[in-house]
Amino acid sequence: MLIVLEGIDGSGKTTVARLVAEALGPDGAVPADKKEVGAVDPATAARAAALRDLVWSSPEAHGDTYGAAHWILLIASWYAGLARLRPELTDADTVTVMDGWYYRNIAKTLIREPLDPHWVESLFAPVPEPALTVLLDVDPEVARSRRGTFKDTELGRWDGFTGPPHEAFRDYQSVVRRALLRMAAERDWLVLVPHPDDPPEHTAAAVVAAVRTLRRTP
């Protein structure tokens, strides 16, 4: 059973995912990193490392040279490989808690260039859908206040957002947020709106309750 925490940059996905995995640990839950392929042979590990570098390292260093279509194809290749190399993601007896899935990548790609949305989504057909996706709907201003520094990919620098970092982050993440809310409505995600003063443990408890309800549902 794959459980995914989704949201804009700075929404608390990583912290909440860790807390959820810890809370569900006695029930057989494990945290997972979407950038890891698990235990594989050396040749596969080397290929995975090369693709991982293309997806997550090169764009930060060299910019979006090849455009959004090239980037989303790389992302889709990574997730297709992940689905093949990590069978626990579709094992009904294992609860895997993931910090983000591919949805934000789709949102950011369609912001960057006017590609065919149906084509972009079709690239992820081999990738399993989570049993539960939880959108942490956090105001971009709140998310911004949590960040000390920003990556270009968090500021929308490739997408025409050229203002000062705090303004670019707010404006770009607002667009991403709207896209994720549309996905949530279309895909029937659980949407949580954490209060800025609430500790992440409160949000994690709500996710844990939803997971346990889902596991009891025949």
Side-chain angles (χ1 to χ4, degrees):
M1 178 182 287
L2 176 60
I3 309 301
V4 166
L5 277 294
E6 192 55 270
I8 64 172
D9 294 304
S11 59
K13 300 183 299 296
T14 301
T15 299
V16 174
R18 174 179 55 80
L19 292 169
V20 170
E22 290 175 358
L24 291 171
D27 296 331
V30 295
D33 185 343
K34 59 181 173 291
K35 297 182 183 179
E36 297 298 331
V37 294
V40 294
D41 61 89
T44 301
R47 292 173 64 188
L51 180 55
R52 182 169 51 236
D53 183 65
L54 284 171
V55 172
W56 280 289
S57 298
S58 298
E60 289 295 329
H62 305 295
D64 192 22
T65 307
Y66 288 96
H70 174 75
W71 184 69
I72 199 63
L73 285 165
L74 292 175
I75 289 283
S77 296
W78 176 264
Y79 279 99
L82 202 65
R84 183 180 180 88
L85 298 171
R86 297 186 60 175
E88 75 273 14
L89 296 180
T90 54
D91 180 2
D93 295 326
T94 303
V95 178
T96 304
V97 185
M98 191 76 74
D99 163 14
W101 203 224
Y102 61 81
Y103 306 113
R104 198 156 43 104
N105 300 124
I106 289 178
K108 290 187 173 185
T109 296
L110 296 177
I111 291 168
R112 188 166 304 159
E113 292 183 16
L115 301 173
D116 181 350
H118 299 292
W119 174 76
V120 173
E121 296 221 10
S122 74
L123 300 176
F124 295 87
V127 184
E129 288 288 310
L132 175 67
T133 300
V134 181
L135 175 61
L136 303 182
D137 183 24
V138 173
D139 187 284
E141 280 290 356
V142 174
R144 181 197 60 77
S145 69
R146 298 171 176 171
R147 311 302 285 256
T149 59
F150 305 97
K151 298 178 181 179
D152 284 348
T153 51
E154 296 173 340
L155 300 174
R157 293 305 192 203
W158 303 343
D159 309 303
F161 293 82
T162 58
H166 66 284
E167 293 181 6
F169 181 89
R170 178 199 62 209
D171 294 345
Y172 178 57
Q173 298 297 334
S174 294
V175 178
V176 175
R177 179 191 187 189
R178 288 195 293 271
L180 290 174
L181 284 169
R182 285 195 298 271
M183 287 187 182
E186 295 166 356
R187 298 170 184 256
D188 197 27
W189 294 350
L190 172 62
V191 179
L192 298 179
V193 186
H195 189 278
D197 296 330
D198 279 350
E201 287 80 4
H202 285 190
T203 305
V207 177
V208 169
V211 172
R212 288 178 172 158
T213 298
L214 184 64
R215 296 191 83 183
R216 290 194 298 267
T217 302

